[in-house]
Amino acid sequence: MPWNFPILLTWLRILFIPIFTLLFYLPANWVSNQQIINWLAAFFFAAAAVTDWFDGYLARRWGQTSNFGAFLDPVADKLMVAVALILLVATGRTYAIFAMIIIGREITISALREWMAQQGKRNNVAVAQIGKFKTAAQMAAIFLLLLSSATITNPNNLSQLGNLLMLIACVLTIWSMLYYLKMAAKEFKA
């Protein structure tokens, strides 16, 4: 397993997951203001999103790309997003259908990429622009929903905007999944 600064950033992102999760399970008497927990959770999520961009940029810029880094980076991303979505659903801040669509797509495309790699055609399903738009909408939506202590039954402007962005992210999620499946379709026939 190679060690370099970009891979350390990816491991840091994975380390943020239990810290991020524990914030939601702190005893009520430890923190008197829920907004503090929301801000901390949003901070850890934003830091993870920034390190996601930064580790890839540095790996390419410094010539430190590796097969292990290419494996670990998307795993860290998907774990953080899945945990955040589950916590947002559990706290009533977003709809379960949004989480099901996004997590389901991530599992499907990860399996598709693995299968395409076995066929020697991984580049056929490399990250496309639509996937980048999906990720941006998804990250912004999750960030806003983490900041908001409102619920879907009693929303405020922040939660309404977050859920609107989540809806947009879900549309882009389905669109990008269909795009990747189309790119792999000729391999299905073979």
Side-chain angles (χ1 to χ4, degrees):
M1 172 174 59
W3 284 98
N4 56 42
F5 188 68
I7 287 178
L8 281 172
L9 286 176
T10 304
W11 279 113
L12 179 64
R13 209 159 61 248
I14 292 171
L15 178 64
F16 281 173
I17 295 169
I19 296 168
F20 171 81
T21 304
L22 286 173
L23 289 171
F24 288 90
Y25 292 97
L26 289 175
N29 60 348
W30 284 23
V31 181
S32 60
N33 186 347
Q34 178 64 37
Q35 234 12 69
I36 293 171
I37 291 174
N38 293 345
W39 278 96
L40 285 171
F43 167 79
F44 277 106
F45 187 81
V50 168
T51 62
D52 177 28
W53 175 84
F54 204 52
D55 66 5
Y57 171 78
L58 290 177
R60 288 185 297 277
R61 174 113 191 214
W62 294 348
Q64 294 182 344
T65 58
S66 68
N67 289 336
F68 182 73
F71 155 75
L72 191 63
D73 181 66
V75 169
D77 302 343
K78 286 161 185 39
L79 285 172
M80 188 66 168
V81 167
V83 167
L85 287 169
I86 291 166
L87 289 169
L88 288 171
V89 170
T91 56
R93 298 183 201 189
T94 197
Y95 298 95
I97 189 69
F98 293 162
M100 288 185 277
I101 289 169
I102 291 170
I103 294 170
R105 180 260 188 209
E106 296 304 339
I107 292 168
T108 302
I109 298 306
S110 293
L112 177 68
R113 286 191 172 128
E114 175 65 25
W115 183 74
M116 291 295 285
Q118 290 175 0
Q119 307 303 311
K121 310 272 179 143
R122 183 167 174 86
N123 287 341
N124 290 17
V125 287
V127 176
Q129 200 65 34
I130 186 69
K132 293 179 183 182
F133 291 142
K134 179 264 313 173
T135 300
Q138 185 177 283
M139 296 299 180
I142 292 171
F143 179 77
L144 290 175
L145 291 168
L146 287 169
L147 281 179
S148 174
S149 55
T151 64
I152 51 180
T153 56
N154 188 18
N156 63 18
N157 291 340
L158 204 56
S159 71
Q160 288 174 337
L161 179 58
N163 276 304
L164 176 62
L165 280 172
M166 191 64 77
L167 176 63
I168 292 168
C170 284
V171 169
L172 293 172
T173 293
I174 293 167
W175 186 0
S176 69
M177 183 176 72
L178 294 174
Y179 171 81
Y180 292 125
L181 289 170
K182 179 183 174 193
M183 301 297 356
K186 59 186 165 205
E187 294 304 315
F188 295 152
K189 297 172 187 170

